[in-house]
Coordinates of all heavy atoms in Angstrom, one line a residue:
A1 N -42.3 -76.8 94.8 CA -41.6 -76.0 95.9 C -42.1 -74.5 95.9 O -41.9 -73.8 96.8 CB -40.1 -76.1 95.8
G2 N -42.6 -74.1 94.8 CA -43.1 -72.7 94.7 C -43.6 -72.4 93.3 O -43.8 -73.4 92.5
G3 N -43.9 -71.2 93.0 CA -44.4 -70.8 91.7 C -44.7 -69.3 91.7 O -44.1 -68.5 92.4
T4 N -45.5 -68.9 90.8 CA -45.8 -67.5 90.6 C -47.2 -67.2 91.2 O -48.1 -68.0 91.2 CB -45.8 -67.1 89.1 OG1 -46.8 -67.9 88.4 CG2 -44.5 -67.4 88.5
T5 N -47.4 -66.0 91.6 CA -48.6 -65.4 92.1 C -48.7 -64.0 91.6 O -48.2 -63.1 92.2 CB -48.8 -65.5 93.6 OG1 -50.0 -64.8 94.0 CG2 -47.6 -65.0 94.3
G6 N -49.4 -63.8 90.5 CA -49.5 -62.5 89.8 C -48.1 -62.1 89.3 O -47.4 -62.9 88.6
A7 N -47.6 -60.9 89.6 CA -46.3 -60.4 89.2 C -45.2 -60.9 90.2 O -44.0 -60.6 89.9 CB -46.3 -58.9 89.1
C8 N -45.6 -61.7 91.2 CA -44.6 -62.1 92.2 C -44.4 -63.6 92.2 O -45.0 -64.3 91.4 CB -45.1 -61.7 93.6 SG -45.4 -59.9 93.7
S9 N -43.5 -64.1 93.0 CA -43.2 -65.5 93.2 C -43.5 -66.0 94.6 O -43.5 -65.1 95.5 CB -41.8 -65.8 92.8 OG -41.5 -65.5 91.5
W10 N -43.8 -67.3 94.8 CA -44.0 -67.8 96.2 C -43.1 -69.0 96.4 O -42.8 -69.8 95.5 CB -45.4 -68.1 96.5 CG -46.0 -69.3 95.7 CD1 -46.5 -69.3 94.4 CD2 -46.0 -70.7 96.1 NE1 -46.8 -70.5 94.0 CE2 -46.6 -71.4 95.0 CE3 -45.6 -71.3 97.2 CZ2 -46.7 -72.8 95.1 CZ3 -45.7 -72.7 97.3 CH2 -46.3 -73.4 96.2
T11 N -42.6 -69.2 97.6 CA -41.9 -70.4 98.0 C -42.3 -70.8 99.3 O -42.7 -70.0 100.2 CB -40.4 -70.1 98.0 OG1 -40.1 -69.0 98.9 CG2 -39.8 -69.8 96.6
L12 N -42.2 -72.2 99.5 CA -42.7 -72.7 100.8 C -41.5 -73.4 101.4 O -40.7 -74.2 100.8 CB -43.8 -73.8 100.6 CG -44.6 -74.2 101.8 CD1 -45.4 -73.0 102.4 CD2 -45.6 -75.3 101.4
S13 N -41.2 -73.1 102.7 CA -40.1 -73.7 103.4 C -40.5 -74.3 104.7 O -41.5 -73.8 105.3 CB -38.9 -72.7 103.5 OG -39.4 -71.6 104.3
G14 N -39.7 -75.2 105.2 CA -40.1 -75.8 106.5 C -39.4 -77.2 106.5 O -38.5 -77.5 105.7
Y15 N -39.8 -78.0 107.5 CA -39.2 -79.3 107.6 C -40.2 -80.4 108.0 O -41.0 -80.1 108.9 CB -38.0 -79.3 108.6 CG -37.2 -80.5 108.6 CD1 -36.2 -80.7 107.7 CD2 -37.4 -81.6 109.5 CE1 -35.4 -81.8 107.7 CE2 -36.6 -82.7 109.5 CZ -35.6 -82.8 108.6 OH -34.9 -84.0 108.6
P16 N -40.2 -81.5 107.4 CA -41.3 -82.5 107.7 C -41.2 -82.9 109.2 O -40.2 -83.1 109.8 CB -40.9 -83.7 106.8 CG -40.1 -83.2 105.7 CD -39.4 -82.0 106.3
G17 N -42.4 -82.9 109.8 CA -42.5 -83.3 111.2 C -42.5 -82.1 112.1 O -43.0 -82.2 113.2
T18 N -42.1 -80.9 111.7 CA -42.2 -79.7 112.5 C -43.6 -79.2 112.6 O -44.0 -78.6 113.6 CB -41.3 -78.6 112.0 OG1 -41.8 -78.2 110.7 CG2 -39.8 -79.1 111.9
G19 N -44.4 -79.5 111.6 CA -45.8 -79.0 111.6 C -45.9 -77.6 111.2 O -47.1 -77.1 111.3
T20 N -44.9 -76.9 110.9 CA -45.0 -75.5 110.5 C -44.3 -75.2 109.2 O -43.3 -75.9 108.9 CB -44.4 -74.6 111.6 OG1 -43.0 -74.9 111.7 CG2 -45.1 -74.8 112.9
Y21 N -44.8 -74.3 108.4 CA -44.2 -73.8 107.2 C -44.1 -72.3 107.2 O -44.9 -71.6 107.8 CB -45.1 -74.3 106.0 CG -45.2 -75.8 105.8 CD1 -46.4 -76.4 106.1 CD2 -44.1 -76.5 105.4 CE1 -46.6 -77.8 105.9 CE2 -44.2 -77.9 105.3 CZ -45.5 -78.5 105.6 OH -45.6 -79.9 105.4
T22 N -43.1 -71.8 106.4 CA -43.0 -70.4 106.1 C -43.3 -70.1 104.6 O -42.6 -70.8 103.8 CB -41.6 -69.9 106.5 OG1 -41.4 -70.1 107.9 CG2 -41.4 -68.4 106.1
L23 N -44.2 -69.2 104.4 CA -44.5 -68.9 103.0 C -43.9 -67.5 102.7 O -44.2 -66.5 103.4 CB -46.1 -68.8 102.8 CG -46.6 -68.3 101.5 CD1 -46.2 -69.3 100.3 CD2 -48.1 -68.1 101.5
T24 N -43.1 -67.5 101.6 CA -42.4 -66.3 101.3 C -42.9 -65.8 99.9 O -42.9 -66.6 99.0 CB -40.9 -66.5 101.2 OG1 -40.4 -67.0 102.5 CG2 -40.2 -65.2 100.9
I25 N -43.3 -64.5 99.9 CA -43.8 -63.8 98.6 C -42.7 -62.8 98.3 O -42.3 -62.0 99.1 CB -45.1 -63.1 98.8 CG1 -46.2 -64.1 99.4 CG2 -45.6 -62.6 97.5 CD1 -46.5 -65.3 98.6
S26 N -42.2 -62.9 97.0 CA -41.1 -62.0 96.6 C -41.3 -61.5 95.2 O -42.2 -62.0 94.5 CB -39.7 -62.8 96.7 OG -39.8 -63.9 95.8
G27 N -40.5 -60.5 94.8 CA -40.7 -60.0 93.4 C -41.1 -58.5 93.5 O -41.1 -57.9 94.5

C-alpha cells in the first residue's frame, strides 16, 4: 500500500475500477 522514498513516505489510494489513483508523498 505504500513505503518509503528517501526521507519521506508514499501511499497510493483509489478504488478498483475507477481507473485513477492518488499518490501522496508525506514526511
Side-chain angles (χ1 to χ4, degrees):
T4 60
T5 171
C8 303
S9 299
W10 68 274
T11 57
L12 195 65
S13 60
Y15 191 80
T18 63
T20 61
Y21 297 110
T22 298
L23 177 62
T24 301
I25 308 297
S26 60

